[in-house]
């Protein structure tokens, strides 16, 4: 998938990155709607990113989802 440059975050994994997977915690804030979690998980699935943990909380129209992803 092609993303706009302003939506990308540079990351460095050190010299041992080739040896395995690394856990990464991210937070996603957005406007709550019934399929928001599914939409985000679809992106992870399409990009072949393993989700190790997920939690979500919604109040009124605001939603926050916390994910622990495993990247390599």
């Amino acid at each position: 998938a092609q993303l706009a440059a302003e939506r990308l975050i540079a990351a460095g994994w050190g010299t041992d990155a080739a040896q395995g997977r690394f856990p990464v915690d991210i937070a996603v804030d957005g406007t709550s709607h019934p399929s928001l979690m599914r939409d985000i998980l679809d992106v992870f699935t399409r990009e072949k990113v393993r989700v190790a943990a997920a939690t979500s909380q919604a109040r009124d129209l605001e939603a926050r989802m916390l994910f622990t992803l495993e990247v390599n």
Side-chain angles (χ1 to χ4, degrees), residues 6-64:
E6 66 272 8
R7 296 187 63 123
L8 299 177
I9 300 171
W13 303 105
T15 58
D16 59 342
Q19 295 179 10
R21 294 181 177 267
F22 297 89
V24 177
D25 294 324
I26 66 166
V28 177
D29 294 316
T31 303
S32 182
H33 61 85
S35 63
L36 181 60
M37 178 71 85
R38 184 190 67 206
D39 294 345
I40 293 168
L41 290 173
D42 283 348
V43 171
F44 295 150
T45 300
R46 191 170 48 247
E47 296 299 319
K48 297 179 176 60
V49 174
R50 184 177 183 272
V51 177
T55 60
S56 66
Q57 184 177 36
R59 287 201 178 112
D60 299 322
L61 293 177
E62 297 297 316
R64 171 169 271 211

